[in-house]
Amino acid sequence: FQGREKQIIIFCTVRSDHKRDEPRGIGFVKDARRINVSMTRAKHTLLILGHAKTLRKEEIWDSLIRDAEQRKCVLKAHSPI
């Protein structure tokens, strides 16, 4: 929904390299322009769902995650997989 603003945006970065022999990387969420478009559409709340260890491989995501951790805005979920 390019260009449209919403009160709440849920940004799902569905990629994980957990238990993979050959890492795939993070695909399109590596592109700073796409990240900017996605994140600036939230008027009030932005929720980002993702595998932090995989995302941290890219500098922009590492910076965002560190900032969220410092502000105590990171919730961790643990998968039984």
Side-chain angles (χ1 to χ4, degrees):
F1 58 79
Q2 286 185 315
R4 291 179 45 197
E5 292 183 344
K6 295 290 182 181
Q7 291 295 320
I8 299 170
I9 298 291
I10 300 173
F11 184 28
C12 185
T13 62
V14 296
R15 198 57 72 87
S16 169
D17 284 335
H18 181 69
K19 294 187 178 182
R20 290 185 63 88
D21 293 331
E22 295 181 31
R24 298 174 294 185
I26 62 172
F28 86 91
V29 294
K30 181 179 188 175
D31 185 333
R33 293 170 298 174
R34 291 181 184 224
I35 294 169
N36 181 52
V37 168
S38 301
M39 292 186 181
T40 59
R41 298 303 174 235
K43 290 181 181 179
H44 185 268
T45 302
L46 172 66
L47 299 172
I48 301 171
L49 307 175
H51 188 256
K53 186 175 180 180
T54 299
L55 291 171
R56 283 183 185 274
K57 293 176 184 176
E58 296 298 326
E59 185 177 337
I60 190 165
W61 283 102
D62 184 49
S63 177
L64 285 165
I65 294 167
R66 278 187 284 115
D67 177 68
E69 287 172 337
Q70 289 171 356
R71 293 183 294 116
K72 299 186 185 331
C73 294
V74 173
L75 300 174
K76 295 182 181 181
H78 299 281
S79 171
I81 298 173

